[in-house]
Amino acid sequence: MARPQTDIEAGREELLDVVEELVRKRGGVDLSMTELAAAAGMSPSNLYRFFENKEALLEAAAGRWFAPKIAIMEEVIAADMPSREKMYQFFARRFVLMRDQYRADPDMFKSYLELGDQHFEVLRGYVDLGDHYLSEIVVQAMDEGYLVDLSIDDAVSLINQMVQVYCNPEALLYIDHKLSEDKLGRIVDTIFIGLGRSFHHKAGSGQPHIKIVP
Amino acid sequence: MARPQTDIEAGREELLDVVEELVRKRGGVDLSMTELAAAAGMSPSNLYRFFENKEALLEAAAGRWFAPKIAIMEEVIAADMPSREKMYQFFARRFVLMRDQYRADPDMFKSYLELGDQHFEVLRGYVDLGDHYLSEIVVQAMDEGYLVDLSIDDAVSLINQMVQVYCNPEALLYIDHKLSEDKLGRIVDTIFIGLGRSFHHKAGSGQPHIKIVP
């Protein structure tokens, strides 16, 4: 972690430690500035010297949560690798990090999800950044002859949908035991082999299509 | 809907209407037999003539919720179609039904999700039934030359993961606008073209793999 530059920054880091401890103890619902001030043993007006409002506090907490994930994305994007490997690392390394966090302290993990659910706006920038980096990998993949006949946006959207269980932290609460790096690798392979190509029925499966969708 | 055979069955259907109305009004959290009896204008002991306990009531409510989805699965499985079309219909028709329910009454939909979250055990049978039918489609697909080099269980698991956003009702709350039958069709095509096949790097993308996953 970067060394704090000023007393204010050092104070912020300490307060974020208190936030983590609070969220661990009492969950993430309706955390207030008053409660944080009490837990930190300072007056609310003193707390406002460090965070001017609750939004600034939540943004800082989200920043700390996402920092290692953003570092992974930047490292993968900068690496000199074929697009398939890059896409795998892009999703797998963040998945493994998230799963480690979940398994180390499931209750804490759930509390952070509650906090995120209530303040989705602070997550929006992270989601957009992920899409931005994914679109860079998509462009490289197209240069290498994959993901043909798709717009970049459609490719990003379809890939996000197909790997969603490896990106959405909620999935760990329900199907942790069904998720694995090996399966994610197979999904990424499937995307590179099949996405954007036209499907042609093989001999023996060419009966006329019966449309029964309304 | 099947015509009730007895007074008890007719009474159950009426009580399930009252449950729906209650869930619509006050959400799905911590619904009690006492509350249901009051809403139905009957004594708790009378209510127990129709449902012997809360589990029996929730099972009946889940049964009503899932009945049209099970009908779709059975109809698709029985249809004479190539496996690719069958898989598409299997997921698309239930997705469209679920999306219609969500858009018709988002709050009611959320309340049912809450109810389901609290009583996941009653959903388990439905999930297992879906896996059972999907494995039948997988076997047909293998007969037609798709999904090679995979066990049936692995194929079912990987397919469920890749189409998860079209099966999980929660996804509608967050990304309804990003989901479409067209994209689902492209994902199913991708599965049929690519899943189970080995990935070979194309010329120009064959640099040695740098493993940066821990």
Side-chain angles (χ1 to χ4, degrees), chain A residues 142 146-151 196-198, chain B residues 186:
Chain A
M142 287 172 170
Y146 303 107
L147 311 179
V148 291
D149 286 336
L150 282 170
S151 70
R197 299 191 194 281
S198 324
Chain B
R186 278 181 167 275

PDB file of all heavy atoms in Angstrom, chain A residues 142 146-151 196-198, chain B residues 186:
ATOM      1  N   MET A 142      -9.505  -9.640 -31.809  1.00  0.00           N
ATOM      2  CA  MET A 142      -9.961  -9.442 -33.184  1.00  0.00           C
ATOM      3  C   MET A 142      -8.771  -9.334 -34.130  1.00  0.00           C
ATOM      4  O   MET A 142      -8.771  -9.914 -35.215  1.00  0.00           O
ATOM      5  CB  MET A 142     -10.854  -8.201 -33.272  1.00  0.00           C
ATOM      6  CG  MET A 142     -12.236  -8.417 -32.640  1.00  0.00           C
ATOM      7  SD  MET A 142     -13.199  -6.864 -32.551  1.00  0.00           S
ATOM      8  CE  MET A 142     -14.826  -7.520 -32.076  1.00  0.00           C
ATOM      9  N   TYR A 146      -9.845 -13.660 -33.846  1.00  0.00           N
ATOM     10  CA  TYR A 146     -10.961 -14.208 -33.065  1.00  0.00           C
ATOM     11  C   TYR A 146     -12.114 -13.200 -32.990  1.00  0.00           C
ATOM     12  O   TYR A 146     -11.973 -12.048 -33.379  1.00  0.00           O
ATOM     13  CB  TYR A 146     -10.492 -14.542 -31.642  1.00  0.00           C
ATOM     14  CG  TYR A 146      -9.321 -15.499 -31.603  1.00  0.00           C
ATOM     15  CD1 TYR A 146      -8.047 -15.049 -31.269  1.00  0.00           C
ATOM     16  CD2 TYR A 146      -9.482 -16.837 -31.924  1.00  0.00           C
ATOM     17  CE1 TYR A 146      -6.962 -15.916 -31.245  1.00  0.00           C
ATOM     18  CE2 TYR A 146      -8.401 -17.716 -31.905  1.00  0.00           C
ATOM     19  CZ  TYR A 146      -7.147 -17.245 -31.571  1.00  0.00           C
ATOM     20  OH  TYR A 146      -6.081 -18.100 -31.548  1.00  0.00           O
ATOM     21  N   LEU A 147     -13.263 -13.668 -32.452  1.00  0.00           N
ATOM     22  CA  LEU A 147     -14.423 -12.801 -32.189  1.00  0.00           C
ATOM     23  C   LEU A 147     -14.836 -12.032 -33.456  1.00  0.00           C
ATOM     24  O   LEU A 147     -15.138 -10.833 -33.391  1.00  0.00           O
ATOM     25  CB  LEU A 147     -14.107 -11.815 -31.053  1.00  0.00           C
ATOM     26  CG  LEU A 147     -13.503 -12.422 -29.773  1.00  0.00           C
ATOM     27  CD1 LEU A 147     -13.221 -11.320 -28.764  1.00  0.00           C
ATOM     28  CD2 LEU A 147     -14.426 -13.463 -29.167  1.00  0.00           C
ATOM     29  N   VAL A 148     -14.861 -12.745 -34.554  1.00  0.00           N
ATOM     30  CA  VAL A 148     -15.177 -12.117 -35.839  1.00  0.00           C
ATOM     31  C   VAL A 148     -16.663 -11.751 -35.902  1.00  0.00           C
ATOM     32  O   VAL A 148     -17.471 -12.267 -35.156  1.00  0.00           O
ATOM     33  CB  VAL A 148     -14.822 -13.067 -37.008  1.00  0.00           C
ATOM     34  CG1 VAL A 148     -13.315 -13.210 -37.105  1.00  0.00           C
ATOM     35  CG2 VAL A 148     -15.478 -14.436 -36.834  1.00  0.00           C
ATOM     36  N   ASP A 149     -16.999 -10.854 -36.804  1.00  0.00           N
ATOM     37  CA  ASP A 149     -18.398 -10.497 -37.073  1.00  0.00           C
ATOM     38  C   ASP A 149     -19.147 -10.002 -35.845  1.00  0.00           C
ATOM     39  O   ASP A 149     -20.344 -10.265 -35.699  1.00  0.00           O
ATOM     40  CB  ASP A 149     -19.172 -11.697 -37.665  1.00  0.00           C
ATOM     41  CG  ASP A 149     -18.772 -11.930 -39.109  1.00  0.00           C
ATOM     42  OD1 ASP A 149     -18.301 -10.972 -39.750  1.00  0.00           O
ATOM     43  OD2 ASP A 149     -18.936 -13.066 -39.589  1.00  0.00           O
ATOM     44  N   LEU A 150     -18.457  -9.341 -34.943  1.00  0.00           N
ATOM     45  CA  LEU A 150     -19.125  -8.769 -33.766  1.00  0.00           C
ATOM     46  C   LEU A 150     -18.612  -7.345 -33.605  1.00  0.00           C
ATOM     47  O   LEU A 150     -17.449  -7.059 -33.904  1.00  0.00           O
ATOM     48  CB  LEU A 150     -18.727  -9.534 -32.498  1.00  0.00           C
ATOM     49  CG  LEU A 150     -19.369 -10.880 -32.212  1.00  0.00           C
ATOM     50  CD1 LEU A 150     -18.645 -11.534 -31.046  1.00  0.00           C
ATOM     51  CD2 LEU A 150     -20.849 -10.713 -31.887  1.00  0.00           C
ATOM     52  N   SER A 151     -19.485  -6.451 -33.105  1.00  0.00           N
ATOM     53  CA  SER A 151     -18.973  -5.143 -32.695  1.00  0.00           C
ATOM     54  C   SER A 151     -18.214  -5.337 -31.382  1.00  0.00           C
ATOM     55  O   SER A 151     -18.415  -6.340 -30.672  1.00  0.00           O
ATOM     56  CB  SER A 151     -20.138  -4.168 -32.485  1.00  0.00           C
ATOM     57  OG  SER A 151     -20.867  -4.544 -31.339  1.00  0.00           O
ATOM     58  N   GLY A 196     -18.977 -15.372 -32.147  1.00  0.00           N
ATOM     59  CA  GLY A 196     -18.919 -14.559 -33.357  1.00  0.00           C
ATOM     60  C   GLY A 196     -18.944 -15.402 -34.629  1.00  0.00           C
ATOM     61  O   GLY A 196     -19.063 -14.855 -35.723  1.00  0.00           O
ATOM     62  N   ARG A 197     -18.791 -16.712 -34.504  1.00  0.00           N
ATOM     63  CA  ARG A 197     -18.854 -17.568 -35.701  1.00  0.00           C
ATOM     64  C   ARG A 197     -20.289 -18.021 -35.926  1.00  0.00           C
ATOM     65  O   ARG A 197     -21.065 -18.146 -34.990  1.00  0.00           O
ATOM     66  CB  ARG A 197     -17.945 -18.791 -35.528  1.00  0.00           C
ATOM     67  CG  ARG A 197     -16.510 -18.364 -35.343  1.00  0.00           C
ATOM     68  CD  ARG A 197     -15.493 -19.462 -35.415  1.00  0.00           C
ATOM     69  NE  ARG A 197     -14.236 -18.940 -34.900  1.00  0.00           N
ATOM     70  CZ  ARG A 197     -13.390 -18.165 -35.585  1.00  0.00           C
ATOM     71  NH1 ARG A 197     -13.652 -17.848 -36.837  1.00  0.00           N
ATOM     72  NH2 ARG A 197     -12.290 -17.703 -35.032  1.00  0.00           N
ATOM     73  N   SER A 198     -20.641 -18.291 -37.197  1.00  0.00           N
ATOM     74  CA  SER A 198     -22.009 -18.741 -37.481  1.00  0.00           C
ATOM     75  C   SER A 198     -22.131 -20.223 -37.190  1.00  0.00           C
ATOM     76  O   SER A 198     -21.217 -20.997 -37.476  1.00  0.00           O
ATOM     77  CB  SER A 198     -22.394 -18.547 -38.939  1.00  0.00           C
ATOM     78  OG  SER A 198     -21.835 -17.392 -39.436  1.00  0.00           O
TER      79      SER A 198
ATOM     80  N   ARG B 186     -26.872 -16.286 -29.406  1.00  0.00           N
ATOM     81  CA  ARG B 186     -25.450 -16.270 -29.750  1.00  0.00           C
ATOM     82  C   ARG B 186     -24.620 -17.070 -28.752  1.00  0.00           C
ATOM     83  O   ARG B 186     -23.633 -17.713 -29.117  1.00  0.00           O
ATOM     84  CB  ARG B 186     -24.929 -14.829 -29.795  1.00  0.00           C
ATOM     85  CG  ARG B 186     -25.245 -14.127 -31.117  1.00  0.00           C
ATOM     86  CD  ARG B 186     -24.673 -12.714 -31.090  1.00  0.00           C
ATOM     87  NE  ARG B 186     -24.680 -12.097 -32.410  1.00  0.00           N
ATOM     88  CZ  ARG B 186     -23.736 -12.241 -33.329  1.00  0.00           C
ATOM     89  NH1 ARG B 186     -22.685 -13.009 -33.104  1.00  0.00           N
ATOM     90  NH2 ARG B 186     -23.834 -11.628 -34.493  1.00  0.00           N
TER      91      ARG B 186
END
